[in-house]
């Protein structure tokens, strides 16, 4: 008997240095893998993050990118074949040129994306400053440290995505 094929999605998380991309992926998948280096006061991603979620037969593979601008080549490789993207913003920071560049690139590539405003509930946050900055993309307040908020937001977004027919090659080994 033929089984309906399982849905597989590749979602890539973009955002500026220190926005919380690695934190988000650790929150949603405690078994996720991370390639990081030490930096002042913490760590920074130097290659990628990889986590996964499985819900109702849908396998979601989530890749995190490095936020440092010099790693553009890594972001391009990781972005290949993505079905959707999350643009993660540190809501205590200004809307900077790099974040604008990421948003413009996603819009040009016609990749469905959603904006998460991280750290929106911390001192100095100004989440309202980001409204109207991302075209028609949905903007949500999501704390990357809050598992419930992060899962709900990602699963709702994933529910809107259609797997690209040609991207059967991106899946990591089981
Ligand atoms: N208060 C608060 N801090 C957070 C939150 N998410 C991340 N952080 C902190 O922000 C810092 C950077 O988090 P990372 O997850 O490493 O950020 P990143 O976007 O992966 O950074 P790069 O890989 O260097 O681009 C860490 O000190 C986190 O603990 C949050 O929801 N609330
Ligand atoms: Mg990181």
């Amino acid at each position: 008997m033929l089984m309906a094929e399982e849905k597989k999605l590749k979602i890539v998380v973009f955002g500026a240095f220190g926005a919380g991309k690695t934190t988000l992926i650790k929150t949603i998948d405690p078994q996720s893998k991370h390639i990081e280096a030490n930096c002042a006061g913490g760590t920074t991603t130097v290659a990628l993050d990889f986590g996964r979620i499985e819900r109702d037969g849908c396998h979601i593979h989530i890749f995190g990118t490095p936020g440092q601008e010099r790693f553009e080549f890594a972001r391009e490789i990781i972005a290949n074949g993505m079905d959707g993207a999350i643009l993660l913003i540190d809501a205590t920071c200004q809307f900077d040129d790099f974040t604008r560049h990421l948003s413009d690139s996603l819009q040009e590539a016609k990749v469905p994306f959603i904006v998460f405003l991280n750290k929106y509930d911390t001192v100095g946050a100004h989440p309202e400053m980001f409204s109207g900055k991302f075209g028609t993309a949905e903007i949500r307040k999501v704390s990357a440290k809050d598992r419930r908020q992060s899962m709900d937001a990602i699963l709702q977004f994933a529910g809107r995505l259609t797997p690209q027919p040609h991207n059967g090659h991106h899946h990591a080994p089981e």
Side-chain angles (χ1 to χ4, degrees):
M1 188 175 74
L2 278 176
M3 303 279 286
E5 205 178 314
E6 287 173 330
K7 186 175 175 185
K8 291 179 181 171
L9 290 171
K10 175 178 180 180
I11 295 178
V12 180
V13 186
F14 297 93
F17 175 68
K21 303 174 291 297
T22 298
T23 304
L24 176 73
I25 293 172
K26 285 180 178 166
T27 297
I28 54 136
D29 179 3
Q31 308 221 57
S32 57
K33 305 286 187 281
H34 306 270
I35 304 178
E36 296 179 277
N38 293 323
C39 67
T43 57
T44 184
T45 301
V46 291
L48 54 76
D49 309 291
F50 175 66
R52 49 185 143 192
I53 313 173
E54 203 252 296
R55 216 23 88 84
D56 302 330
C58 178
H59 295 260
I60 307 170
H61 290 180
I62 304 203
F63 292 79
T65 54
Q68 293 184 64
E69 296 191 30
R70 64 196 172 96
F71 288 123
E72 183 74 15
F73 72 97
R75 283 186 292 275
E76 284 175 7
I77 294 166
I78 298 165
N80 190 27
M82 62 184 158
D83 300 302
I86 295 168
L87 181 52
L88 192 68
I89 308 286
D90 180 339
T92 66
C93 293
Q94 299 304 310
F95 181 66
D96 56 38
D97 288 346
F98 179 61
T99 302
R100 187 190 310 274
H101 155 74
L102 291 171
S103 170
D104 289 349
S105 304
L106 290 168
Q107 288 181 58
E108 273 165 35
K110 299 197 176 359
V111 175
F113 75 101
I114 184 167
V115 178
F116 287 2
L117 299 178
N118 188 27
K119 312 187 195 182
Y120 69 89
D121 50 358
T122 64
V123 178
H126 42 71
E128 65 290 340
M129 193 181 275
F130 298 93
S131 57
K133 300 268 196 257
F134 303 99
T136 56
E138 184 190 349
I139 305 177
R140 273 180 89 137
K141 293 177 187 160
V142 177
S143 173
K145 291 193 171 178
D146 185 305
R147 185 171 161 82
R148 168 71 67 87
Q149 282 179 27
S150 300
M151 280 296 238
D152 284 356
I154 290 173
L155 290 173
Q156 278 178 28
F157 177 57
R160 292 174 10 205
L161 299 177
T162 320
Q164 290 183 35
H166 61 270
N167 73 359
H169 306 295
H170 68 254
H171 300 298
E174 297 298 327

